[in-house]
């Protein structure tokens, strides 16, 4: 988690924002549009500036974190927007229910998961988080508090899912949980030597498994480029469901190192050791705890500090099935040509599920995630190159992982941006929206 209370996870921009309580924020947006505006804020786990509103103020929704009700028979959960996913798991897990979709950390808030319409390792089965939201209660400056759903004010409901907190302050949500026999999973590890090998097995792995994700050795080059391991899993058929108490990080990065610790020499050693450890476990199914499979990095508090005092950029792209065979190697090539090392290099296949939100990121295709320590102009040049490869392949760059994409890149990946702008609450704005959609709107 970010060390500063209102900093984003990438830590590219200094923490100079002001926050008010939910009560004060709701009262003030009710007074009408403000030049600098407000923005709901959860835990600050977005990597870029979609959770920044440096010119205005934040509304600290983390203070509204109650679970309102949970039906152990139907799996319907009602909770305030500031409750985090770990609290939801702790409430529902012992009764045989789990999150239908979960991102790579359980510390994000319910409101943040909806506002970003997050995805997980099972998009091919369950789609995005927003697909499991039954209804929302939001507050708008122009119309007050209202309950919306797919049957009631459907346009606003679908704009709010994936709307990055701009269509109204999410106060609470009703979420349909997923029944499981155990929280833990049975995992099968399959090594592969190239991106082509992965593409040949990815669809079959999705068909057979609830979850599938690949780790890539991003520094491997030449004939070894794109090698990695595919981690496929299903929930175990039996086992304890009573171990879902909120977890605590076993390790911590207690201070900010003066340099980037995750440099190329370290990453070469780490990648080699990790790949070897996974290959040793390949083949036979292995029972794995839900914490280690879904949230491996949650065990290290403030791990983002390892990228050094300048922070990190993350680039997550999605490209269509038909262009992936060329685009994915091109993305890896671009990083290698810049001698840039990515600590977290993850590849997943998105399924055919339709979008839950108006401008959601997840769509049919393959998504590659890379992250790099911020080295100024050199890193931004690489990120622009990755953008260009993605757009040329007919893909999109993830807004809530981004801190610098151009308005043109945003428009190419999200042609329905103007529909979201049309229903945006006039009192709500973010730095991301200012530098992308507002620029597009001003340019006509």
């Amino acid at each position: 988690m970010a060390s500063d209370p209102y900093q984003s996870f990438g830590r590219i921009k200094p923490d100079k924002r002001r926050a008010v309580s939910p009560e004060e924020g709701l009262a003030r947006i009710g007074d009408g549009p403000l030049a600098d505006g407000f923005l709901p804020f959860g835990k600050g786990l977005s990597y870029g500036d979609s959770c920044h509103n440096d010119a205005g103020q934040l509304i600290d929704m983390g203070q509204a974190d109650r679970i309102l009700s949970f039906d152990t028979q139907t799996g319907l959960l009602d909770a305030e927007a500031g409750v985090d996913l770990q609290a939801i798991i702790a409430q529902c897990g012992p009764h045989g229910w789990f999150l239908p979709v979960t991102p790579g950390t359980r510390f994000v808030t319910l409101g943040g998961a909806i506002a970003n319409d997050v995805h997980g390792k099972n998009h091919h089965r369950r789609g995005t988080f927003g697909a499991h939201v039954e209804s929302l209660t939001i507050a708008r400056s122009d119309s007050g508090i209202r309950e919306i759903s797919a049957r009631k004010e459907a346009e606003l409901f679908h704009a709010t899912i994936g709307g990055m907190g701009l269509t109204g302050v999410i106060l609470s949500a009703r979420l349909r949980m997923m029944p499981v026999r155990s929280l833990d999973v049975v995992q099968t590890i399959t090594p592969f030597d190239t991106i082509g090998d992965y593409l040949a097995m990815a669809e079959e792995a999705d068909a057979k498994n609830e979850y599938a994700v690949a780790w890539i050795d991003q520094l491997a080059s030449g004939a070894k480029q794109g090698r990695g391991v595919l981690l496929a899993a299903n929930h175990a058929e039996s086992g304890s469901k009573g171990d879902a108490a909120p977890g605590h990080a076993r390790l911590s990065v207690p201070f900010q190192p003066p340099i980037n610790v995750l440099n190329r020499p370290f990453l070469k050693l780490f990648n080699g050791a990790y790949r070897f450890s996974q290959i040793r476990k390949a083949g036979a199914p292995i029972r794995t705890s839900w914490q280690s499979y879904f949230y491996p990095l949650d065990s290290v508090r403030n791990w983002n500090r390892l990228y050094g005092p300048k922070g990190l950029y993350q680039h997550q792209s999605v490209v269509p099935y038909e262009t992936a065979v060329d685009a994915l190697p091109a993305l890896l090539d671009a990083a290698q040509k810049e001698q840039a090392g990515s600590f977290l290099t993850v590849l997943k296949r998105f399924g055919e599920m339709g979008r839950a939100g108006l401008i959601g990121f997840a769509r049919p295709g393959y998504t590659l995630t890379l992250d790099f320590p911020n080295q100024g102009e050199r890193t931004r040049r690489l990120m622009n190159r990755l953008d260009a490869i993605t757009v040329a392949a007919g893909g999109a760059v993830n807004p809530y992982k981004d801190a610098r994409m151009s308005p043109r890149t945003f428009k190419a990946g999200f042609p329905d941006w103007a529909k979201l702008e049309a229903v945006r609450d006039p009192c709500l704005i973010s730095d991301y929206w200012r530098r992308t959609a507002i620029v597009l709107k001003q340019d006509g």
Side-chain angles (χ1 to χ4, degrees), residues 270-333:
F270 173 84
N271 287 356
Y274 180 79
R275 186 170 185 272
F276 178 73
S277 71
Q278 296 301 307
I279 290 176
R280 289 182 62 188
K281 297 182 288 185
I286 303 170
R287 189 184 182 101
T288 303
S289 73
W290 62 274
Q291 295 96 331
S292 63
Y293 184 76
F294 294 110
Y295 314 113
L297 286 172
D298 280 355
S299 63
V300 183
R301 188 171 182 269
N302 293 325
W303 64 267
N304 55 337
R305 290 176 173 174
L306 295 174
Y307 288 85
K310 295 181 180 179
L312 71 142
Y313 284 104
Q314 185 167 104
H315 190 278
Q316 183 175 23
S317 58
V318 57
V319 295
Y321 300 135
E322 57 270 21
T323 59
V325 66
D326 295 319
L328 294 174
L331 291 166
L332 295 176
D333 277 339

Side-chain angles (χ1 to χ4, degrees), residues 208-225:
K208 293 181 177 179
N209 298 281
E210 176 73 29
Y211 305 104
V213 62
W215 168 85
I216 302 292
D217 181 357
Q218 179 262 335
L219 292 180
S221 58
K224 298 178 180 179
Q225 186 194 63

Side-chain angles (χ1 to χ4, degrees), residues 26 29 40 59 61 137-140 165 167-172 425 428:
L26 294 177
I29 68 168
I59 303 174
M61 297 305 297
T137 301
I138 67 171
R140 283 183 61 96
T167 62
V169 179
I170 300 175
L171 302 179
S172 65
D425 189 301
L428 300 179

